[in-house]
Amino acid sequence: MWTLISIRRISLGGGFRYLMESVAVGDGRPDPTLPLAAYYAASGTPPGRFLGGGLPDLGDGTGVAVGSPVSEEHLRRMLGDLADPLTGEPVGRRPNASARQRPVAGFDLTFSPPKSVSVLWALADPDTQAVIYDCHRRAVAAVLAYAERTVFKSRSGTDGCVEEDLRGVIATAFTHWESRAGDPQLHDHVVVWNRARSASDGRWRTLDSRALFKATVALSKLHNGVLADLLTEALGVGWEPRSRRHSDRPRFEIVGVDERVMAEFSRRAEQVGQAKDQLVERFVTEHGRAPTDTEVLKLRQVATLATRPDKVHRSLREMTSDWRERAEVHLGPEARQTGWAAGINGRNDLPRLRCADLGDGVVSDAAAQVLNAVSARRATFSRHNLAAEAAEVLEGVRFADPAERTAAVDRVTALALERSVSLAAPVLCHTPAAYLRLDGSSRLDPESRKLYTTHATLAAEARLLDAADDLSAPLGPSGAAAPLRPGAPAAEQRTLAPDQAHAVDQIAGSGLVLDVLVGPAGSGKSTAMAALRSVWEDAQGPGSVVGLAPSAAAAQVLADELGIPCENTTKWLTEHRRLPELAALRERAAVALLRHPWPDSPGALRLRRQLKDTGDAVDARRLHPGQLVIVDEASLAPTRDLDELVTAARAAGAKVLLVGDWAQLGAVGAGGAFGLLARQRGDLTPQLGVVRRFAEDWEAHASLQLRSGDAAAVATYDDHGRVAGGDSEEMLDAVYRAWKADTAAGLDSLMIAADRASVDALNARARAELVVAGTVSAADDGRLFGVGDRVVTRRNDRRLVATDGAWVRNGDTWTVETVEPTGSLTLQRAN
């Protein structure tokens, strides 16, 4: 990831001593203003420094200067006692001691530059290191100042209805050199105190954390650009976009910093995994058996500790020497002599602009790009969403200084806001002067709480709602619960329950262009769809039902359920958009054939084949009168896609049925249309209300409680032994033991965890045990896979066809059968 500003809450009374543990201890009072060279021989990092526009309010108004050193006593008072760090006097209202949750004393904003910056800093000569260090600190200060102006607020009044502007925030910043793996990672922990004075009345209040967390991405993106500008100004470094593994959005890195070196300094997880595997192999050799679950967990803990840097902090000189030695493997002797780092400088070929250099046309195009990108992902959005996108659009542009970049981001954001539609209620009454800012805006209607949308989104939703009221669609037969046609697939021969039969009858006979079927998981939507397909084809003929789903894997499941070929919604729309192009080709072929002087010549035969092929392609891609288009998992479908599909069906005289559940996952893109359509008809919406997936009645009822957000469901699950408690390691151990028991009994089992680190830990543990048992071969020569491993493909590729005739889909599971020396794999489909 390019640059990340992560935010975590610091509870009252703790969470601050780790910031002091790494501070270098020397003769005299530590000074954060000392040059970087002062810490080459010291074991540790510079002391913290005070930041923020609220520092003059400390010490009963005596204040403290920006950049002044922070002592452990200062932090203890601020984060342990919620007291003035200078005087020790309590500040603001005391927290409720009987509250269930510990009060929040501050917010830790971690500013982590991209790996290429840390790599260049680690391998550069001392003078260049000092320049990068200074640019990093200046970027942190610039973004914090921007956040003071646009993000940091407080609240007052009943339920916090009044937004309070602040005089400034009070923060402490600690610079660290390395990650826990000992890799170079120049980063700052900026602890923003949860106390600040309001500009309106001078009272001490807490910060509005909602606004802070909403602005995290915008601040991160802005930090990207500010740091890049400062480094380009100071060193002349260039920046280039590079691809990401799991995103089509590029990340910007310094030109000339090799990905191999960046990977060398990002090896924490790999270190732990390899060390643990070696410990497992040694255990088997020494004991003649595989380690137990608990022993494997302990071996992993040993590996984690073994690969973690010692508690004794190293000097910057020692770290630098170690980093250069590691980089020498990839860069040669130049890495040790700083020659490589010197060659990175001076590669920028872009002008350094001011905000005024951006013409109105450029700003207009940027605002359009911002609005289109944000509205494609969100049906509603905030100013912070637009600001984050504006910062990203301008990321590849170099600006003269931080103020020019922030002005450009604000300019593009403001124009995008002008083109948006505010969803805020109109102000219908006079706002007293006490609640107005100097610019006339109301503190009762803060910008951070406003939501916006686009005219295009509103128009798409309006078309969908109109189609849901349009009674011009084709009809299926009445009495859908009657016996199904002879010879129907087995899936269609299942007996329909009353709610299923009623839903099928409603849909088949409604005459609505756009219909919706709502049902929770396990309520039998698949059975109802199969029955609907049968009765619809009885009325409209074979091929009159089209099946679509938001993903290729879901489309294959739907195809198995309906007994007809089904397609990915995005792929179908992509092909449907080619209709004008194909129709034009067909027209040109027809005209050319009419004008051809020799009807039986090879040229005329080629034209006839082209005419037939393009005609077949047009027929395959267009909808026909009387067709029923079933879209499964429709809550995952973006509103734009549904609008395009329904518009095409309406023009063709077809009908669309959206099937899903508003309470399940929403669309990755701008969605919400499924829930909107389900709510529009209220009780008239066809619904399946009986959950059939569970053997126990209580579990079916509890799943519906959970779906509706009823907290009583937790007690129900707890009463039946479905809730377990413990710390993170205990829970991971319990999950693993349950999975192991299931697989040993021949069952299919899935381990699910809430974060990637836990998933990686569970996977590594399972794989290590499978290697020891001989089920999976150990990966060697740096390969990721061994024979017997189960892997999942992450992309659709219709060019890769397995021996079963099916092409490779995103989400397919495979077993590795062979690993070739070239790295190629032979896989067997496992699902």
Side-chain angles (χ1 to χ4, degrees), residues 349-396:
D349 56 2
L350 296 177
R352 295 171 55 237
L353 304 178
R354 298 188 178 278
C355 179
D357 295 331
L358 302 179
D360 291 341
V362 172
V363 174
S364 178
D365 290 344
Q369 183 179 346
V370 165
L371 196 57
N372 183 65
V374 172
S375 62
R377 297 193 301 270
R378 300 172 178 270
T380 61
F381 47 84
S382 68
R383 186 191 187 281
H384 292 312
N385 299 134
L386 294 176
E389 190 66 32
E392 181 159 336
V393 166
L394 296 173
E395 197 169 349

Side-chain angles (χ1 to χ4, degrees), residues 93-366:
R93 188 172 62 184
R94 298 301 298 170
N96 184 3
S98 62
R100 295 179 61 186
Q101 295 183 337
R102 297 180 69 184
V104 175
F107 302 91
D108 183 355
L109 283 66
T110 304
F111 289 73
S112 296
K115 183 57 70 174
S116 60
V117 173
S118 290
V119 168
L120 180 59
W121 172 78
L123 303 180
D125 61 88
D127 289 341
T128 303
Q129 280 189 324
V131 170
I132 297 173
Y133 174 67
D134 179 64
C135 289
H136 165 67
R137 287 188 158 198
R138 288 169 60 195
V140 170
V143 174
L144 185 65
Y146 176 84
E148 285 186 301
R149 177 168 62 86
T150 63
V151 176
F152 289 115
K153 305 288 181 181
S154 185
R155 294 180 293 157
S156 64
T158 303
D159 296 327
C161 62
V162 181
E163 183 175 78
E164 295 284 350
D165 295 328
L166 303 175
R167 294 181 181 180
V169 298
I170 297 164
T172 62
F174 292 80
T175 302
H176 291 172
W177 313 131
E178 61 180 341
S179 70
R180 295 190 69 178
D183 293 329
Q185 185 185 357
L186 181 64
H187 64 285
D188 263 35
H189 290 276
V190 178
V191 178
V192 180
W193 195 29
N194 194 23
R195 288 291 187 272
R197 270 190 163 166
S198 296
S200 63
D201 57 13
R203 291 184 60 184
W204 288 96
R205 291 187 169 92
T206 59
L207 304 182
D208 182 0
S209 61
R210 297 179 302 178
L212 176 59
F213 281 95
K214 288 178 182 177
T216 303
V217 177
L219 296 178
S220 295
K221 297 297 182 182
L222 182 63
H223 182 231
N224 295 352
V226 168
L227 181 60
D229 292 340
L230 293 175
L231 288 172
T232 296
E233 176 191 20
L235 300 174
V237 296
W239 300 87
E240 63 184 1
R242 300 187 188 179
S243 61
R244 301 176 188 265
R245 285 188 59 190
H246 302 302
S247 173
D248 57 357
R249 296 194 157 207
R251 56 188 172 92
F252 280 82
E253 300 284 1
I254 296 177
V255 173
V257 178
D258 196 294
E259 291 284 344
R260 295 173 302 168
V261 186
M262 292 165 60
E264 169 67 32
F265 292 133
S266 306
R267 299 173 58 184
R268 175 64 180 156
E270 181 181 349
Q271 288 176 350
V272 174
Q274 290 179 349
K276 187 262 302 173
D277 289 345
Q278 292 172 359
L279 291 174
V280 169
E281 292 177 7
R282 186 186 307 169
F283 184 97
V284 174
T285 302
E286 293 176 355
H287 296 82
R289 63 174 178 83
T292 64
D293 295 341
T294 302
E295 289 168 338
V296 170
L297 180 59
K298 290 181 178 178
L299 291 175
R300 181 170 183 82
Q301 292 171 338
V302 170
T304 301
L305 294 173
T307 56
R308 181 182 297 171
D310 294 336
K311 292 291 184 180
V312 177
H313 296 286
R314 301 181 296 170
S315 69
L316 184 55
R317 180 180 288 114
E318 292 171 326
M319 296 182 202
T320 302
S321 176
D322 173 56
W323 294 334
R324 289 173 180 166
E325 181 178 347
R326 289 171 59 185
E328 191 173 0
V329 177
H330 304 283
L331 302 176
E334 282 191 338
R336 188 175 292 277
Q337 301 166 4
T338 73
W340 170 83
I344 299 297
N345 299 341
R347 298 193 183 189
N348 176 59
D349 56 2
L350 296 177
R352 295 171 55 237
L353 304 178
R354 298 188 178 278
C355 179
D357 295 331
L358 302 179
D360 291 341
V362 172
V363 174
S364 178
D365 290 344

Side-chain angles (χ1 to χ4, degrees), residues 727-728 731-732 735 750-763:
D727 61 29
S728 177
M731 291 297 93
L732 289 177
V735 168
L750 180 67
M751 293 186 286
I752 299 177
D755 58 86
R756 181 169 294 180
S758 297
V759 170
D760 290 343
L762 290 168
N763 278 334

Side-chain angles (χ1 to χ4, degrees), residues 492-648:
E492 300 176 14
Q493 298 292 355
R494 287 175 286 186
T495 302
L496 295 182
D499 61 335
Q500 294 171 324
H502 180 62
V504 172
D505 271 340
Q506 279 184 283
I507 296 164
S510 73
L512 293 172
V513 170
L514 178 57
D515 238 324
V516 177
L517 173 60
V518 177
S523 60
K525 295 188 294 292
S526 299
T527 300
M529 284 189 290
L532 179 61
R533 178 237 161 169
S534 175
V535 299
W536 194 270
E537 288 193 343
D538 278 346
Q540 300 293 343
S544 59
V545 176
V546 176
L548 302 176
S551 68
Q556 183 58 52
V557 172
L558 182 62
D560 295 339
E561 293 168 346
L562 297 185
I564 58 174
C566 297
E567 186 55 273
N568 177 300
T569 307
T570 301
K571 178 68 165 58
W572 189 93
L573 288 172
T574 300
E575 295 296 330
H576 186 265
R577 292 177 194 129
R578 292 192 60 208
L579 278 175
E581 171 197 345
L582 293 170
L585 287 174
R586 182 176 60 179
E587 182 67 21
R588 286 198 294 270
V591 172
L593 184 60
L594 287 173
R595 294 176 178 176
H596 201 285
W598 298 287
D600 297 327
S601 66
L605 292 176
R606 282 196 299 272
L607 286 172
R608 287 192 181 91
R609 282 196 298 271
Q610 182 181 353
L611 184 62
K612 182 181 185 304
D613 291 344
T614 54
D616 291 343
V618 168
D619 287 340
R621 287 166 172 80
R622 70 181 180 90
L623 293 173
H624 302 274
Q627 282 189 313
L628 170 65
V629 182
I630 298 178
V631 183
D632 196 16
E633 303 290 354
S635 65
L636 295 170
T639 297
R640 290 184 181 184
D641 288 359
L642 294 179
D643 175 44
E644 186 177 357
L645 174 62
V646 172
T647 298

